[in-house]
Amino acid sequence: MSNKRIVAVDDEASLLHLLAEFGRLQGVEVTCFPAWDEDVKSHVNLSEVLFLDMQLPGSDGLDVITELSDASYDGAIVLISGVDEVMLEYAVKYASSKGLNLVGFLQKPFNMDDFSSILAECESFENKAADNAYLASTPELNYKEVRKAITSQWFYPVFQPQINVETGSIVGIECLARLEHPSFGNISPTRFIPTLERSRIINDFTKVLVDTALNQLTDLLEAHDHLTISFNISSKTLNRDTAVKLIEIINKFDVRPEQIVFEATETSALDISEETEFALTKLRLFGVGLSIDDFGTGYSTISQINKLPFNEIKVDQSFIQHIADKQTSRAIVASTCQLAHNLNYKLVAEGVETLEQLAFLKEHKCKVIQGYLYSKPLSIVQLRQFIQHFNIAVS
Ligand code: C2E
Ligand code: CA
Ligand code: CA
């Protein structure tokens, strides 16, 4: 990093002074500019890191981001700001839509620790950029490839435990699809689920996954008749025929319908057709649970509650992950918990990684927790090992 060229633009002289001083203490030189003018523009494209004030006289952060994008700036950008997080969020979104590398923020007032940690992130930025380039080059499978993957049986289920933190026992398991591709390796569901949805083979896929998972877990579900298993269903494409087939599959096993939960992954009520509404209602009448996955991210999730027979809400992990640093996320999590309690819905928090997040959720009476804090999604063999250390719910 010591050879890196760092530029800082801020109209507050004292702040520039601080950045230069922090830089000196870290062994890096920070070239400072008080305004977004021709002088800085001639320097900036040669820099590897740019510290940029969001509110400069005559041009705000969005203007500067637009100019940087027009100039194809490819260094790391750190925004310096006193503006609130919603505006910063937008700036990040805008910068990434413009192809810029926004690494993070320095919120005013900041200290030496804040400066060093953001600098460390800039340092790992080049490696990350290489990783991202690799990820981006991993292709989304096309129709022929997913068909091949299905017939070759490259798909398999993994299972992520859901823990009741009051009793310390496993109360549920979410089944997630995995694909081990012989050429591309392990492929994330986000790279094959959309292809499956577009090609309408998602319904067949869901049926096979439910059958396979119930086969693998049947002894556990029979022995612990309050243990639940959740499956993701694509509510956009779910139809009457699939609902009937899913009920037939579930009936083959000695499990109570109440032990099965379907999580609807498409959260926009506007996208739910009458056919889907019929299918979801049919499943619910059979007795399975219906969960609203990623609650809070769809723009009409609240109106969906009125329309469909849900009985569980899953607080989306994007809010959980920002419990420590965003007031808006804390407010959304707290009010989602409150809503679930008022509606008498089951409540599950997913993507829980830290004790701090757990403490906040406990405070808001969210008892069922899913996330790396307890366990990553596990193979069937790992799941059986994992449950030896936990009780399973008895009621
Ligand atoms: P989802 O249903 O919201 O599943 C949760 C995702 O978060 C999973 O990613 C899981 O591995 C990940 N996760 C769990 N705990 C943590 C944590 O503590 N931290 C972090 N950072 N991540 C955590 P995964 O398995 O990659 O699945 C991504 C999405 O793909 C799922 O999101 C779901 O929407 C979709 N999906 C997966 N399997 C299926 C399936 O069989 N059918 C359908 N329709 N969609 C599926
Ligand atoms: Ca889910
Ligand atoms: Ca989710």
Side-chain angles (χ1 to χ4, degrees):
M1 177 57 73
S2 50
N3 298 327
K4 289 247 183 277
R5 277 178 290 249
I6 303 179
V7 163
V9 191
D10 200 304
D11 59 324
E12 275 181 59
S14 59
L15 219 133
L16 284 180
H17 181 73
L18 204 61
L19 281 170
E21 186 56 18
F22 285 164
R24 195 183 61 76
L25 292 168
Q26 291 275 306
V28 294
E29 192 184 333
V30 182
T31 314
C32 298
F33 298 87
W36 184 250
D37 55 16
E38 293 312 314
D39 194 14
V40 67
K41 286 182 209 171
S42 65
H43 271 83
V44 83
N45 256 1
L46 299 171
S47 73
E48 277 110 345
V49 179
L50 170 65
F51 285 91
L52 176 69
D53 185 7
M54 277 288 280
Q55 291 162 304
L56 291 163
S59 44
D60 63 36
L62 298 181
D63 295 334
V64 179
I65 287 171
T66 312
E67 284 192 44
L68 286 167
S69 163
D70 292 345
S72 306
Y73 180 63
D74 65 356
I77 302 171
V78 176
L79 295 180
I80 310 172
S81 179
V83 302
D84 84 34
E85 63 195 21
V86 175
M87 280 187 260
L88 284 177
E89 283 282 291
Y90 179 76
V92 173
K93 215 169 79 185
Y94 180 64
S96 90
S97 76
K98 289 271 168 197
L100 294 169
N101 309 309
L102 214 159
V103 171
F105 322 113
L106 265 183
Q107 275 281 20
K108 293 179 196 175
F110 54 84
N111 59 28
M112 178 69 181
D113 283 348
D114 301 327
F115 179 80
S116 349
S117 56
I118 199 77
L119 211 57
E121 279 189 46
C122 293
E123 211 158 341
S124 67
F125 157 74
E126 275 174 33
N127 299 336
K128 276 195 196 147
D131 284 354
N132 287 342
Y134 169 73
L135 283 178
S137 71
T138 310
E140 190 171 279
L141 299 189
N142 61 32
Y143 173 71
K144 253 175 95 178
E145 286 164 331
V146 283
R147 260 277 168 229
K148 171 106 181 83
I150 290 177
T151 51
S152 314
Q153 299 188 325
W154 291 333
F155 288 106
Y156 60 96
V158 290
F159 306 98
Q160 191 173 28
Q162 298 174 335
I163 312 292
N164 179 321
V165 284
E166 276 183 1
T167 60
S169 49
I170 302 180
V171 287
I173 294 161
E174 179 175 2
C175 174
L176 293 153
R178 289 290 177 270
L179 164 52
E180 186 64 39
H181 193 282
S183 322
F184 306 136
N186 213 315
I187 298 193
S188 157
T190 54
R191 297 193 174 276
F192 59 77
I193 297 289
T195 314
L196 286 164
E197 285 180 341
R198 272 195 308 275
S199 57
R200 297 269 155 174
I201 41 181
I202 187 78
N203 290 337
D204 288 341
F205 177 84
T206 308
K207 284 182 259 172
V208 173
L209 196 76
V210 171
D211 202 350
T212 310
L214 289 181
N215 242 312
Q216 293 188 354
L217 289 179
T218 189
D219 60 324
L220 276 177
L221 294 165
E222 281 173 26
H224 306 279
D225 68 356
H226 281 84
L227 182 68
T228 62
I229 176 151
S230 304
F231 296 96
N232 294 284
I233 48 168
S234 172
S235 52
K236 231 189 235 170
T237 54
L238 185 74
N239 55 26
R240 182 188 193 125
D241 181 51
T242 308
V244 172
K245 291 274 167 38
L246 286 171
I247 291 170
E248 276 172 24
I249 292 168
I250 296 164
N251 274 332
K252 284 199 312 187
F253 298 91
D254 200 5
V255 296
R256 297 183 307 118
E258 290 74 18
Q259 289 179 273
I260 314 287
V261 178
F262 288 110
E263 300 184 1
T265 51
E266 172 54 63
T267 45
S268 165
L270 297 179
D271 283 337
I272 293 196
S273 64
E274 275 183 28
E275 175 86 10
T276 302
E277 221 177 314
F278 182 93
L280 286 173
T281 308
K282 195 167 182 57
L283 284 168
R284 187 77 185 99
L285 285 170
F286 170 60
V288 303
L290 279 187
S291 178
I292 313 179
D293 204 353
D294 305 338
F295 186 82
T297 58
Y299 53 92
S300 46
T301 37
I302 299 274
S303 63
Q304 195 180 9
I305 286 176
N306 267 334
K307 208 175 162 198
L308 294 164
F310 288 106
N311 66 338
E312 179 184 291
I313 286 178
K314 281 190 100 168
V315 189
D316 188 57
Q317 52 179 291
S318 61
F319 304 119
I320 307 281
Q321 271 157 15
H322 290 289
I323 280 176
D325 61 333
K326 281 192 196 161
Q327 171 53 25
T328 44
S329 295
R330 282 194 290 278
I332 291 168
V333 173
S335 51
T336 305
C337 294
Q338 190 60 49
L339 182 69
H341 298 318
N342 291 348
L343 291 165
N344 209 14
Y345 279 16
K346 281 173 64 187
L347 175 64
V348 180
E350 73 178 342
V352 180
E353 295 183 356
T354 69
L355 289 170
E356 192 176 0
Q357 293 161 355
L358 179 65
F360 184 85
L361 289 160
K362 277 182 168 171
E363 200 185 306
H364 292 275
K365 302 192 174 49
C366 179
K367 288 184 292 198
V368 181
I369 305 293
Q370 180 184 341
Y372 296 170
L373 181 64
Y374 286 102
S375 171
K376 295 200 165 191
L378 304 170
S379 69
I380 181 69
V381 175
Q382 293 168 323
L383 177 74
R384 288 182 188 280
Q385 286 163 353
F386 182 85
I387 58 185
Q388 284 176 353
H389 305 287
F390 273 88
N391 302 320
I392 297 190
V394 285
S395 62

